[in-house]
Amino acid sequence: QVRLVESGGGLVQAGGSLRLSCAASGSIFSINDMGWYRQAPGKQRELVAAITSGLSTTYADSVKGRFTISRDNAKNTVYLQMNSLKPEDTAVYYCNADLRRTLRSTIVLYWGQGTQVTVSS
């Protein structure tokens, strides 16, 4: 069994900061890419940021310069530091991870349950 558990969401005023964490646990052999997505009410889920096992990063244009993704491979954890938050950043934030459970298993994408981020104006 593999679980991804997010934490760190909450309510913050515009201009404030939050740091999200997502820890993967269970039977894990290796983790490739990890990422953060978000979904606002009435909108499709969209990529916020992603990071490879080699620490290459990708960001949505809307968060470049404000958000930073990082990971701690020893802890199987990915982080999202969010600064200069705007009301339009309000959404449920989900993490995901492409991982192998054993040396010979295929790579499977797992998702967390989501954490709410609300930015007030």
Side-chain angles (χ1 to χ4, degrees), residues 6-25:
E6 300 105 333
S7 61
L11 173 63
V12 64
Q13 288 188 331
S17 298
L18 284 174
R19 188 189 193 214
L20 305 183
S21 299
C22 172
S25 63

Side-chain angles (χ1 to χ4, degrees), residues 27-47:
S27 178
I28 298 171
F29 175 76
S30 64
I31 302 178
N32 294 350
D33 297 350
M34 303 184 81
W36 288 95
Y37 284 69
R38 66 186 180 187
Q39 187 167 20
K43 294 189 177 181
Q44 289 188 330
R45 190 174 297 190
E46 62 176 0
L47 173 69

